[in-house]
Amino acid sequence: MLRINFYTACSLREQKNGGIISAYIFKSRFDFKMIQIKEKSGDLDIRELEILERLESNGHLTQRDLSKEVGIALGLVNHLLKKMVTKGWIKIKNIDAKKIRYLITPEGAKEKSSLLYKRVESTIHFYLEAKRVIKDKVIHLKNEGIKDVSIYGINHISEVLFIVLKELGLELNSVVDEKEEGKEWFGYKVIGIDQFVKSNTSVLILASFDKEEIDGFCKEQENVKVVVLRE
């Protein structure tokens, strides 16, 4: 049996019930908050960029269309469009009494390019920060003598995690994700959680920084040895 200190609500439930220990938890509150803050600070710029990109492709899109495509509230779309008009990034052309067209100005095109570079820079920064935080957690597994692990979830975090595992010399046993089951991911065939539980005993690293997702997953998979990347 693996023994560790418990910090999260998920782990405390397991200790109280006397069940199989199902999570390695390593403290990372400060590191995670730093990543979270840096991600959130660029949200508005990213939304502006997404709106400009879509209008460049199709200036006939309505505000409702933009709301659905960008994934933000209709009111926020209206606010951002007014802001862009005020700054001279876009112009509104009346097609008829009911239709308008959004035209990106040279200044708007310049701003779109600037926002694109900001997004690239933010992505690189997130990668470096995430890699550092993840490595700090996973290296404890290596120190415990664990040779191979599995990953749950296919996303940008799992891609960083995959690189960290390679650098640490930890073997990747399985890749688990019900939504992507049967597909290929970096040469591995993705399997579902049921198949993993039946045929695998390796530690499962949950590729997520989302607290609610982590708590929910730990609750559902009480008999699986789960490694989480934050408290």
Side-chain angles (χ1 to χ4, degrees):
M1 179 180 291
L2 300 172
R3 294 187 179 276
I4 58 171
N5 293 324
F6 290 84
Y7 296 101
T8 66
C10 169
S11 299
L12 289 171
R13 284 195 298 270
E14 293 161 359
Q15 187 180 45
K16 181 179 179 181
N17 295 335
I20 297 175
I21 292 178
S22 63
Y24 283 167
I25 312 295
F26 303 108
K27 288 194 172 182
S28 62
R29 181 174 297 166
F30 176 77
D31 290 333
F32 173 75
K33 283 187 176 179
M34 289 299 291
I35 289 177
Q36 192 177 45
I37 289 170
K38 286 167 184 173
E39 278 189 297
K40 287 185 176 179
S41 66
D43 280 352
L44 202 57
D45 285 348
I46 290 173
R47 289 165 182 171
E48 291 172 349
L49 173 60
E50 290 179 345
I51 289 175
L52 287 171
E53 286 178 332
R54 283 163 174 77
L55 291 180
E56 185 176 51
S57 299
N58 183 2
H60 295 285
L61 289 173
T62 66
Q63 292 188 19
R64 194 170 299 279
D65 292 332
L66 289 169
S67 174
K68 291 179 180 179
E69 292 195 16
V70 179
I72 59 178
L74 184 60
L76 182 55
V77 170
N78 182 266
H79 168 75
L80 292 175
L81 287 173
K82 287 181 179 178
K83 174 184 173 183
M84 292 178 192
V85 170
T86 300
K87 290 190 173 185
W89 298 355
I90 61 175
K91 290 183 179 179
I92 299 176
K93 181 179 180 181
N94 292 314
I95 304 301
D96 55 39
K98 294 183 178 180
K99 293 182 180 181
I100 61 174
R101 182 179 180 184
Y102 297 98
L103 301 173
I104 297 180
T105 66
E107 184 64 27
K110 181 180 178 180
E111 185 63 27
K112 184 176 75 70
S113 178
S114 176
L115 291 173
L116 180 59
Y117 282 114
K118 285 183 182 179
R119 182 167 67 177
V120 171
E121 184 179 5
S122 176
T123 300
I124 293 173
H125 185 79
F126 170 80
Y127 163 76
L128 294 174
E129 284 290 298
K131 183 180 176 184
R132 181 178 63 82
V133 172
I134 291 171
K135 190 172 185 178
D136 183 57
K137 310 304 169 291
V138 177
I139 198 169
H140 289 270
L141 299 178
K142 185 176 182 179
N143 294 337
E144 290 283 339
I146 293 174
K147 303 296 184 183
D148 63 283
V149 300
S150 295
I151 294 175
Y152 182 89
I154 294 178
N155 50 47
H156 56 290
I157 297 174
S158 59
E159 292 177 5
V160 179
L161 177 57
F162 179 77
I163 295 171
V164 171
L165 294 180
K166 292 293 185 182
E167 290 183 355
L168 293 176
L170 288 169
E171 182 180 346
L172 180 58
N173 190 305
S174 302
V175 179
V176 188
D177 191 323
E178 288 89 349
K179 294 180 180 179
E180 304 293 331
E181 187 174 358
K183 296 182 180 180
E184 291 285 329
W185 187 80
F186 289 105
Y188 293 84
K189 186 175 181 179
V190 182
I191 63 174
I193 189 66
D194 291 338
Q195 183 179 342
F196 173 83
V197 172
K198 290 178 182 177
S199 61
N200 211 307
T201 59
S202 68
V203 169
L204 185 63
I205 305 176
L206 177 58
S208 175
F209 287 139
D210 185 89
K211 187 65 167 61
E212 290 185 7
E213 182 180 3
I214 290 170
D215 288 346
F217 188 82
C218 287
K219 184 177 181 180
E220 291 177 3
Q221 306 300 330
E222 292 184 345
N223 295 324
V224 176
K225 296 187 290 294
V226 179
V227 177
V228 298
L229 300 176
R230 65 162 293 189
E231 296 179 51

